[in-house]
Amino acid sequence: MRVQQGVSFILILQLISLLFFLCPYGSQCIPHNDVKGFIFEKINNNTMAPEISPSVEPQPFLPLLAPSPSIPISNSSLPKLSGLCTLNFSAAESFVSTTATDCWASFAPYLANVVCCPQFDATMVILMGQYSKYSGMLNLNTTNAQHCLSDFEKILETQGANRNLKTICSIHPANLTEASCPVVDANKFESIVDSSKILTACGKVDPVKECCQQVCQNTILDAAKKIAMDGMVSMPENSTRIDDCKSIVFRWLASKLDPSSANSVLRALSNCKVNKVCPLVFPDMVNVTKECGYTISNKKACCKAMESYVSHLQEQSFITNLQALNCAASLGMKLQKANVSQNIYDLCHINLKDFSLQVGLQESGCLLPSLPLDVNYDKTSGIGFICDLNDNIEAPWPSASFVPAGSCNETSKLPARPTAKPSQATAGFQVKELIVPLLLSSSLVLTALI
């Protein structure tokens, strides 16, 4: 099914509005590949801190936005930091830049669940881990946390990130404090937990096997329970204190690994969680149940109602293949409870990619890989990410024995992204941007990938 009410052009217009085509009068224009170093050089002068194994390679690469080769950077546009944050942002410089790209302006709301927020969280943990190396502490006080979060947002925004990441990713200064966890001193932490066990289990994590075997996740949980019990006799199993202490464990782990290894581990762990749920919000389905409930008397009316309903889902976000499976199952079970007993996915030709944001002139659904993903930038292709436009895998109608899909590939044998049969394959698309300076206008050309 191809819904004709996608939001691809709305999204594209939003993205176009973010581009800087001209250098403002009196500004200093710096090539994009020099912007990062220029910004961090300025930051260094203002900071207080001391010095599943996939069986199929995900294709195609879909560049969705090509920024101007020169982004105007002037002294007035540099981040004005508080000067009161004790985090050393340069200690995780490359991942701060990765976060800015993953959370690029208008992309952020559409990639929040899968890409932007997981990387935002990972970078904050890495920064906290680096901070503990010279402070000996695994937390910030509330005042310092407020300054640091604000500074972090300003740095990201200067590099092109969305300015509302706190809202998009539900981040608060408390995320940098100890919250309710009683142990924040690194030495005390190591006296309570089995440090070598944590490093053995979590020093390197396979993003597929970990989601199945949960070796690192269980080790993190055990350590969190131990430090959460400090000064207590007993505690409820699902106490928020345990979750707060898990954050402390992650920061300690990040302090013991190099930033690149820490980022890989943190993204792999978050991905296990991301793929277990459907991030979409299902609107009221009264029209679908009216036309498709009980015995379907008018197939055309039923499918029209279903297509209209799905078009609203397609305005929300990009999702992974595994999330699409969960979304299809969740919606199917809701419909079954509302007396829609017939498999209307099959009847109306609903595919997995119909649950994701639509892109391209043909408004084709785009499924992201189930493995950790980052947005990429290069001067030729611009901003882009791996996106599957080729799969027409039919959405499965849930049975009574449905079990939510997760990142564990051992039973489902699902690759990093679904692969359609050759007869089902459709062309992928590459979005290129043609910039017309002075007029501040641009057009988009979609070219079929061969």
Side-chain angles (χ1 to χ4, degrees):
M1 182 195 77
R2 179 172 37 184
V3 178
Q4 298 300 319
Q5 301 178 16
V7 296
S8 55
F9 288 107
I10 296 174
L11 176 58
I12 288 170
L13 290 174
Q14 288 177 324
L15 297 172
I16 293 172
S17 68
L18 299 167
L19 300 178
F20 297 97
F21 300 117
L22 299 172
C23 295
Y25 178 78
S27 68
Q28 178 184 0
C29 288
I30 300 171
H32 187 277
N33 58 327
D34 294 334
V35 170
K36 179 179 69 175
F38 182 75
I39 291 173
F40 278 100
E41 179 182 349
K42 297 295 183 182
I43 292 172
N44 286 338
N45 295 330
N46 291 306
T47 182
M48 291 176 59
E51 301 291 62
I52 32 191
S53 300
S55 58
V56 176
E57 193 69 23
Q59 292 293 333
F61 179 79
L62 180 68
L64 289 180
L65 174 65
S68 172
S70 290
I71 295 180
I73 296 291
S74 64
N75 287 334
S76 61
S77 64
L78 285 172
K80 295 180 180 179
L81 305 184
S82 66
L84 300 173
C85 174
T86 54
L87 294 181
N88 181 4
F89 294 104
S90 295
E93 178 180 336
S94 65
F95 296 104
V96 172
S97 297
T98 296
T99 304
T101 307
D102 283 351
C103 299
W104 188 271
S106 287
F107 268 149
Y110 301 102
L111 291 170
N113 179 264
V114 179
V115 181
C116 171
C117 298
Q119 185 57 54
F120 188 101
D121 291 340
T123 302
M124 287 206 306
V125 172
I126 292 169
L127 287 169
M128 289 297 300
Q130 293 297 310
Y131 166 75
S132 73
K133 286 185 176 182
Y134 56 81
S135 69
M137 302 301 291
L138 296 164
N139 72 314
L140 298 179
N141 63 46
T142 301
T143 302
N144 199 3
Q146 291 172 341
H147 291 306
C148 289
L149 184 56
S150 176
D151 286 352
F152 187 32
E153 284 186 293
K154 291 175 183 177
I155 294 169
L156 293 175
E157 186 179 339
T158 302
Q159 296 191 46
N162 191 292
R163 65 179 59 188
N164 296 313
L165 292 182
K166 276 198 302 188
T167 300
I168 292 172
C169 297
S170 300
I171 300 296
H172 308 282
N175 293 101
L176 296 174
T177 68
E178 72 280 10
S180 63
C181 189
V183 177
V184 294
D185 182 274
N187 290 330
K188 183 175 182 180
F189 175 92
E190 292 176 6
S191 70
I192 298 174
V193 304
D194 187 338
S195 302
S196 61
K197 182 179 179 181
I198 298 175
L199 291 174
T200 299
C202 303
K204 187 176 182 180
V205 169
D206 183 292
V208 174
K209 291 181 179 179
E210 173 60 29
C211 295
C212 300
Q213 301 168 5
Q214 301 182 26
V215 175
C216 178
Q217 294 171 80
N218 290 334
T219 303
I220 294 290
L221 179 59
D222 289 342
K225 288 180 177 179
K226 286 183 178 179
I227 60 174
M229 285 295 295
D230 187 59
M232 296 186 68
V233 177
S234 62
M235 182 169 47
E237 184 68 23
N238 297 319
S239 171
T240 56
R241 189 172 185 176
I242 295 177
D243 288 334
D244 293 337
C245 287
K246 284 174 68 175
S247 296
I248 298 297
V249 181
F250 285 132
R251 295 171 194 173
W252 178 87
L253 177 62
S255 74
K256 299 301 179 182
L257 303 177
D258 64 88
S260 180
S261 297
N263 188 71
S264 296
V265 170
L266 293 168
R267 287 298 303 274
L269 295 179
S270 69
N271 218 56
C272 294
K273 182 178 179 181
V274 163
N275 281 311
K276 288 181 179 179
V277 297
C278 171
L280 302 181
V281 176
F282 296 111
D284 186 89
M285 54 186 70
V286 61
N287 290 334
V288 177
T289 56
K290 176 183 177 182
E291 300 294 344
C292 306
Y294 300 102
T295 301
I296 299 175
S297 58
N298 188 329
K299 174 185 174 181
K300 184 176 180 180
C302 170
C303 289
K304 183 178 180 180
M306 188 61 188
E307 289 178 9
S308 176
Y309 185 87
V310 172
S311 72
H312 292 292
L313 300 181
Q314 293 169 350
E315 296 176 2
Q316 295 186 31
S317 68
F318 291 106
I319 60 176
T320 70
N321 55 1
L322 292 174
Q323 287 179 324
L325 283 171
N326 285 318
C327 290
S330 296
L331 177 59
M333 289 188 291
K334 287 179 180 293
L335 290 170
Q336 288 174 0
K337 290 180 180 178
N339 296 314
V340 177
S341 56
Q342 188 171 341
N343 182 353
I344 58 175
Y345 291 166
D346 180 60
L347 180 71
C348 303
H349 308 293
I350 304 295
N351 297 323
L352 285 181
K353 66 182 183 180
D354 290 324
F355 288 85
S356 187
L357 201 69
Q358 308 291 287
V359 297
L361 288 177
Q362 294 187 1
E363 295 180 355
S364 177
C366 166
L367 290 178
L368 301 180
S370 59
L371 298 180
L373 170 74
D374 285 310
V375 173
N376 298 301
Y377 171 82
D378 66 67
K379 289 190 290 186
T380 301
S381 301
I383 295 288
F385 52 86
I386 299 295
C387 177
D388 178 29
L389 301 176
N390 299 320
D391 286 335
N392 291 316
I393 295 178
E394 187 176 295
W397 188 249
S399 63
S401 59
F402 166 74
V403 177
S407 298
C408 181
N409 259 359
E410 291 184 350
T411 55
S412 65
K413 303 299 181 184
L414 196 67
R417 65 173 177 85
T419 304
K421 297 177 181 178
S423 61
Q424 296 175 316
T426 59
F429 293 94
Q430 182 180 43
V431 180
K432 294 182 179 179
E433 182 180 29
L434 302 179
I435 300 175
V436 183
L438 299 179
L439 297 178
L440 299 181
S441 64
S442 63
S443 62
L444 296 168
V445 179
L446 291 97
T447 308
L449 293 177
I450 301 177

